[in-house]
Amino acid sequence: MTLKTPVYLDNNATTPMDPGVLDEMLPYFVERFGNAASRTHAFGWEAEEAVDIARENVAKLIGAHPQEIVFTSGATEAINLALKGIHEPYFNKGAHVITVSTEHKAVLDTCRSLETKGIEVTYLPVLPNGLIDLEHLEKSITKSTTLIAVMYANNETGVIQPIKHISRIARKHGILLFCDATQAVGKIPVDVIMDGIDLMSFSAHKMYGPKGVGALYVRKKNPKVELYAQIEGGGHERNMRSGTLNVPGIVGFGKACELCYEYMEVDTNRLTTLRNLFESKIGRLGGTVINGKNAPRLPHATNITFENIDGEKLIFEAGNSIAFSRSSACTSATLEPSFVLKAMGLSNEQIHNSFRFSLGRFSTEEQVDYAINVISKIVKQHRHEGNY
Ligand SMILES: Cc1ncc(COP(=O)(O)O)c(C=O)c1O
């Protein structure tokens, strides 16, 4: 069989939907179209039952109770709900948030918005490997600190933060921990109890589910987290997020979680092997650096700096053959260099020549071999032609 191109190596931007997820969703568009909030007839009951099953599957994947899941339109909304919704109930304690300079824009921009409302925000730097310094974190805590917001795994580098250690620090000081786990859930084991997380955002389209649906985990006990709704209306989702539920999307999200639960080990083993193969073969070119290499990383992703090439030309020349990216999908339209790599200490030139390759459940060895060949050829050509 001939290989279909371009080969997709941008699964951190979004994943293709698993066909099993689509099958599960289809009946909920036309036949079973009921509103999950309709209590007076079978159409509503049927939709509500489907949402309940999905809620159980979503909760199971992260070790939560189904009633701790609030469905949203995606991780961005979940992040906004967590960071904005948490503050009012805790204002008497203070108003100081600690976050990290390498968080996703959805967290950073929401924090900037909190600052305009008088909330103080500390943006922690990262070490050259992308990890935060735990001592620095603890020293940044003040009497007013209400919340620590640290992502589970970075979207550009795949670097995994030591969430268990961070939560121990948060607990010790009586501070809540919010974790944006959009890139981690479904890919590596995430357990809100074992990890000590109080609020957590994640999204279906990063784990072979549909776009436009996600969730916020809100801890119900030890401690019970108080949250104010940001979208008001019919009081859906236990008054935390009003609006008619996206039943087909939620059904798909539930199925995606069920499949991730089932396939996680197999996917992880296979993708680790493929990613390592990619890194070692690309490494043979010489003059390459894997960003975050000595930190724990997601099994399917890599971020590589190529020395002595023209990054712009590489993207352009490889673009028809391979789909990959320079930083996150959200910032790929801007010409600004990646703030994540900048925070890790890379120069503008190094950032310009750094790329993210992220594999997924449907990536094959043949695709990876093909990508290695395409990239290697272009890099060799640049070095041959250039005055590097
Ligand atoms: C780490 C991280 N957080 C949040 C988001 C936003 O997710 P969504 O597209 O579901 O709003 C993304 C998506 O790129 C992400 O990678």
Side-chain angles (χ1 to χ4, degrees):
M1 216 172 68
T2 51
L3 188 73
K4 231 174 112 192
T5 55
V7 159
Y8 189 69
L9 296 186
D10 202 14
N11 285 270
N12 278 16
T14 194
T15 49
M17 221 163 62
D18 191 296
V21 169
L22 180 65
D23 289 346
E24 202 79 8
M25 290 170 70
L26 283 174
Y28 292 91
F29 286 101
V30 178
E31 283 159 58
R32 303 184 199 162
F33 59 86
N35 183 330
S38 298
R39 293 283 150 81
T40 52
H41 51 71
F43 294 89
W45 304 332
E46 190 174 54
E48 190 188 18
E49 196 189 333
V51 168
D52 286 347
I53 293 169
R55 201 184 294 280
E56 274 169 28
N57 279 321
V58 173
K60 184 176 165 192
L61 181 63
I62 59 161
H65 188 280
Q67 282 185 0
E68 295 175 313
I69 302 297
V70 175
F71 285 120
T72 64
S73 63
T76 300
E77 187 194 327
I79 290 164
N80 273 264
L81 173 58
L83 294 178
K84 293 175 180 166
I86 201 70
H87 266 94
E88 260 173 84
Y90 294 91
F91 256 141
N92 56 351
K93 185 182 176 222
H96 174 224
V97 177
I98 300 173
T99 189
V100 185
S101 54
T102 53
E103 292 290 306
H104 191 269
K105 281 261 181 196
V107 169
L108 295 176
D109 286 358
T110 307
C111 282
R112 300 260 179 247
S113 155
L114 291 178
E115 284 181 287
T116 65
K117 295 183 180 99
I119 291 165
E120 193 193 336
V121 182
T122 299
Y123 300 88
L124 293 176
V126 292
L127 302 166
N129 61 8
L131 292 174
I132 62 166
D133 175 346
L134 295 174
E135 249 176 61
H136 193 160
L137 167 68
E138 192 155 13
K139 280 194 188 131
S140 306
I141 294 171
T142 69
K143 278 202 189 82
S144 312
T145 310
T146 351
L147 189 74
I148 294 175
V150 179
M151 73 197 322
Y152 214 109
N154 186 270
N155 42 305
E156 291 188 34
T157 59
V159 166
I160 300 170
Q161 297 292 349
I163 294 298
K164 279 196 186 81
H165 289 95
I166 295 169
S167 72
R168 263 183 240 131
I169 293 172
R171 281 289 143 99
K172 191 170 117 191
H173 294 271
I175 298 165
L176 295 174
L177 174 63
F178 163 67
C179 182
D180 174 19
T182 307
Q183 293 290 348
V185 171
K187 314 286 174 49
I188 55 171
V190 172
D191 185 302
V192 287
I193 303 297
M194 307 254 278
D195 291 331
I197 296 167
D198 299 307
L199 291 144
M200 186 173 84
S201 53
F202 52 115
S203 188
H205 78 97
K206 304 282 188 189
M207 44 190 286
Y208 314 102
K211 291 171 183 58
V213 58
L216 181 67
Y217 157 77
V218 185
R219 186 182 277 274
K220 254 180 103 82
K221 59 177 186 196
N222 305 321
K224 177 175 167 38
V225 176
E226 302 286 341
L227 200 65
Y228 272 17
Q230 299 302 300
I231 299 180
E232 288 165 299
H236 306 74
E237 296 298 90
R238 296 175 312 290
N239 281 323
M240 281 185 266
R241 199 272 190 182
S242 285
T244 299
L245 292 182
N246 167 8
V247 178
I250 289 169
V251 166
F253 190 14
K255 185 68 186 178
C257 288
E258 189 190 328
L259 294 179
C260 283
Y261 191 87
E262 198 180 319
Y263 298 155
M264 191 177 296
E265 209 179 313
V266 173
D267 278 354
T268 298
N269 291 338
R270 199 178 67 83
L271 294 176
T272 306
T273 307
L274 276 185
R275 194 269 314 265
N276 292 349
L277 177 91
F278 183 82
E279 287 184 343
S280 70
K281 289 210 176 157
I282 291 289
R284 281 188 213 154
L285 285 168
T288 59
V289 178
I290 297 167
N291 296 307
K293 188 174 177 13
N294 66 6
R297 285 185 301 144
L298 291 172
H300 62 276
T302 187
N303 188 305
I304 303 180
T305 307
F306 295 82
E307 290 162 11
N308 304 329
I309 60 147
D310 180 341
E312 204 59 49
K313 260 172 80 186
L314 173 68
I315 278 268
F316 180 74
E317 288 166 3
N320 286 333
S321 315
I322 318 166
F324 63 116
S325 66
R326 206 185 241 127
S327 53
S328 70
C330 311
T331 47
S332 65
T334 70
L335 290 174
E336 260 174 64
S338 152
F339 61 85
V340 171
L341 297 180
K342 208 170 183 67
M344 288 166 72
L346 273 71
S347 68
N348 279 353
E349 193 192 336
Q350 286 167 324
I351 297 170
H352 189 74
N353 292 345
S354 301
F355 302 95
R356 168 180 85 173
F357 303 89
S358 44
L359 312 174
R361 185 177 293 159
F362 305 105
S363 304
T364 64
E365 188 168 348
E366 197 191 1
Q367 291 178 332
V368 171
D369 276 338
Y370 174 79
I372 293 166
N373 283 336
V374 170
I375 299 281
S376 301
K377 230 185 242 167
I378 297 173
V379 169
K380 281 181 191 159
Q381 185 69 24
H382 281 204
R383 289 178 179 168
H384 178 71
E385 281 169 3
N387 304 315
Y388 297 107

